[in-house]
Amino acid sequence: MTKLTLAAALALTLSTGGVFAQAAAPATAPAMAPAAGASTAAAPMMKKGQKPRTAQSLECSKKADAANVHGKPRSAFMRKCKEGKA
């Protein structure tokens, strides 16, 4: 009886292995050529609905990185920097 139970458990384990297999990544479409007159510079990846960052924002971010400011103090620093007070 023990051998039958062990054999059934082994068969069940082997048969469910495919359920946990990772699916293949979907294929991506090839990049299209830019339209005439369009910029070929690569834009940073943005989330849906997110506005592009301004040059001033990027400069303030670099300043915050150089000053090693993180978290809530970084938010305050960025706000002041964008207002021209930092």
Side-chain angles (χ1 to χ4, degrees), residues 5 9 11-13 15 20 23 25 28 31 33-34 36 47 50 55 57-58 64 71 78:
T5 305
L12 181 62
T13 302
S15 66
F20 299 109
T28 58
K47 294 180 182 177
Q50 186 178 21
S57 176
L58 293 172
M78 292 290 290

Side-chain angles (χ1 to χ4, degrees), residues 14-25:
L14 293 176
S15 66
T16 59
V19 174
F20 299 109
Q22 183 176 2

Side-chain angles (χ1 to χ4, degrees), residues 2 7-8 14-15 17 24 34 45-46 49 54 59 64 69 72 74 76 84:
T2 306
L14 293 176
S15 66
M45 297 296 292
M46 293 186 295
T54 63
E59 186 63 31
V69 181
K72 288 184 180 181
R74 184 184 181 100

Side-chain angles (χ1 to χ4, degrees), residues 14-84:
L14 293 176
S15 66
T16 59
V19 174
F20 299 109
Q22 183 176 2
T28 58
M32 296 180 63
S39 173
T40 57
M45 297 296 292
M46 293 186 295
K47 294 180 182 177
K48 185 177 180 181
Q50 186 178 21
K51 295 180 183 178
R53 294 183 66 184
T54 63
Q56 182 183 20
S57 176
L58 293 172
E59 186 63 31
C60 289
S61 182
K62 287 178 185 177
K63 288 180 183 178
D65 288 341
N68 200 22
V69 181
H70 300 284
K72 288 184 180 181
R74 184 184 181 100
S75 298
F77 179 87
M78 292 290 290
R79 195 169 29 257
K80 288 178 183 177
C81 180
K82 289 179 191 177
E83 292 172 358

